[in-house]
Amino acid sequence: MEIVSAVSLWLIPILIGFILIYGTFKKVPTYESFTEGGKEGIKIAVSIIPFLVGMLVAISVFRASGALEYFMDLIRPGLNAIGVPPDIVPLAIIRPISGTAALGMTSDLIAVHGPDSFIGRLASVLQGSTDTTFYVLTVYFGAVGIKKMGDALKVGLLADLAGIIASIVIVTIVFGNM
Amino acid sequence: MVNIIWVMLTAIGIVFAMINGTMSEVNEAIFNGAKEAVTLCIGLISILVFWLGMMRIAEDAGLLKKLASLFRPVVKRLFPEVPGDHPAMGYILSNMMANMFGLGNAATPLGIKAMEELKQLNGGKNEASRSMITFLAINTSSLTLIPTTVIAIRMNYNSASPTDIVGPTLVATFCSTLAAIMIDRYFYYRRTRKG
């Protein structure tokens, strides 16, 4: 397990160093390219504000009213028996449907439980290791006019389920249980 | 679908507040939730600017193209119906590389191009071909190498080690992609056995 932690720590600095040196070798105007690409980062960060505001308000209301606690209590016994923390369920449901909504839920879970808690880490891994099936499906198939999707939705959702299970298992192994 | 979930969360919350007498908490939650979302997005700017800047250098240096050619032999086996030198293969590879490096905005148009080519390979029919379903399965399982946005959120909430989830995310991504490929294959063989 120490290898996984070491990879986490080393991967980003090494990747950055490699990109910079490789870019210099290939005679890329590195600093100008960097600032050009960076501008897009501002655009993305600003453009997700409305999505996050909408989703975080809805989740906050849901939690503050006591509704979240109520539904959690309903499903808790069953999920605890198979080792799934109930707090993660709303995120797991919304992850295949909307990427930005899931991002809102992930940040909410991290804010409430703490980034270094079991739930916080699980939410982080879950957010990173699956993608928005419905979005990919509608955009890609919609753009080229595919009407009969065949098994695509089934395959996509089953793959999401596999990703969720993998996330829970791996986070439990690496970071220990709650 | 998101619309329904979004309205349900809010509406059920408000109804619950009426019954539970938690109206004042709900009021507070509305304004705090909005404020937190904006603070979070501002915090995301730092990482997003840095990462997308780095990725632009990688792209300009031809690193993404190089990686694509490295992955070509593996990816070719995943799409047995696509000829190796067909433009569809090029788009599929570029889309995967863009996804790996978290360039979602660049990945989407490439993915659509790939779909167009795959549709032509399939005789322009309006049904999903085997290769299309495989391509989608791989895309929906996520290929992210570095989950930058998640790291940024963790930094925002003062994580002691914001990047310690990179390794586990990589392993989980690998598992989910592998599962996606196997599930896709399973459904393909089931289809062909029937028909």
Side-chain angles (χ1 to χ4, degrees):
Chain A
M1 282 319 111
E2 269 172 29
I3 299 171
V4 181
S5 310
V7 166
S8 305
L9 208 61
W10 281 62
L11 189 61
I12 296 173
I14 286 181
L15 194 61
I16 291 169
F18 177 71
I19 290 172
L20 287 178
I21 293 166
Y22 189 84
T24 310
F25 259 108
K26 292 275 165 184
K27 301 196 172 56
V28 173
T30 42
Y31 188 62
E32 275 120 64
S33 283
F34 174 80
T35 48
E36 224 22 71
K39 283 180 196 163
E40 208 172 311
I42 301 179
K43 251 190 270 165
I44 294 175
V46 173
S47 69
I48 61 174
I49 290 180
F51 297 99
L52 279 193
V53 168
M55 203 32 82
L56 277 188
V57 169
I59 301 165
S60 302
V61 168
F62 196 68
R63 169 175 298 110
S65 69
L68 182 69
E69 207 40 52
Y70 178 80
F71 288 110
M72 287 296 157
D73 281 344
L74 284 184
I75 53 172
R76 186 161 285 137
L79 289 175
N80 273 346
I82 50 169
V84 178
D87 305 76
I88 212 77
V89 170
L91 174 62
I93 292 172
I94 212 155
R95 188 71 189 91
I97 300 167
S98 164
T100 41
L103 194 63
M105 285 209 177
T106 302
S107 48
D108 181 69
L109 284 173
I110 290 175
V112 172
H113 297 274
D116 300 317
S117 66
F118 182 77
I119 305 264
R121 280 171 165 147
L122 181 53
S124 307
V125 172
L126 198 62
Q127 174 74 22
S129 65
T130 53
D131 211 326
T132 325
T133 299
F134 281 94
Y135 171 82
V136 176
L137 210 67
T138 39
V139 170
Y140 285 8
F141 277 174
V144 297
I146 299 293
K147 299 254 160 52
K148 292 175 194 148
M149 296 198 183
D151 293 325
L153 183 62
K154 259 183 284 175
V155 172
L157 287 179
L158 281 173
D160 286 335
L161 185 66
I164 291 165
I165 294 170
S167 301
I168 293 174
V169 171
I170 289 154
V171 172
T172 308
I173 292 173
V174 176
F175 296 115
N177 215 330
M178 337 171 202
Chain B
M1 185 88 90
V2 196
N3 296 317
I4 297 169
I5 291 176
W6 189 59
V7 172
M8 287 244 283
L9 280 176
T10 319
I12 292 176
I14 291 170
V15 172
F16 246 81
M18 289 173 185
I19 303 166
N20 272 0
T22 45
M23 258 323 164
S24 68
E25 281 92 335
V26 165
N27 262 305
E28 211 175 301
I30 293 171
F31 295 105
N32 279 344
K35 203 174 117 194
E36 187 151 330
V38 175
T39 318
L40 185 69
C41 290
I42 303 296
L44 288 183
I45 293 180
S46 57
I47 295 279
L48 282 178
V49 166
F50 182 74
W51 191 251
L52 289 175
M54 275 296 149
M55 282 309 117
R56 180 62 64 91
I57 299 176
E59 214 181 331
D60 290 350
L63 210 55
L64 263 53
K65 272 207 190 95
K66 193 142 218 179
L67 266 176
S69 64
L70 214 70
F71 277 95
R72 186 178 282 265
V74 185
V75 176
K76 247 162 78 176
R77 310 200 57 166
L78 291 176
F79 297 94
E81 286 170 2
V82 181
D85 50 354
H86 194 274
M89 190 56 77
Y91 286 125
I92 289 172
L93 279 163
S94 331
N95 167 272
M96 284 176 153
M97 294 307 121
N99 267 326
M100 270 189 182
F101 287 92
L103 301 167
N105 281 3
T108 306
L110 289 166
I112 292 172
K113 280 260 172 60
M115 277 293 174
E116 272 168 8
E117 296 290 339
L118 289 177
K119 189 183 179 184
Q120 270 185 9
L121 268 178
N122 198 30
K125 279 181 276 187
N126 70 346
E127 51 192 276
S129 68
R130 177 192 179 186
S131 313
M132 285 179 184
I133 296 175
T134 308
F135 181 57
L136 267 177
I138 294 172
N139 247 291
T140 61
S141 74
S142 165
L143 299 156
T144 319
L145 225 46
I146 313 266
T148 27
T149 324
V150 173
I151 294 172
I153 294 174
R154 294 171 60 76
M155 281 173 61
N156 249 349
Y157 290 110
N158 304 318
S159 168
S161 171
T163 54
D164 68 1
I165 46 91
V166 174
T169 305
L170 268 178
V171 180
T173 302
F174 179 75
C175 290
S176 74
T177 306
L178 200 68
I181 293 167
M182 290 195 308
I183 293 165
D184 172 57
R185 280 288 190 269
Y186 168 74
F187 273 97
Y188 170 73
Y189 287 122
R190 217 181 59 164
R191 274 199 305 275
T192 45
R193 217 180 307 146
K194 259 187 208 161

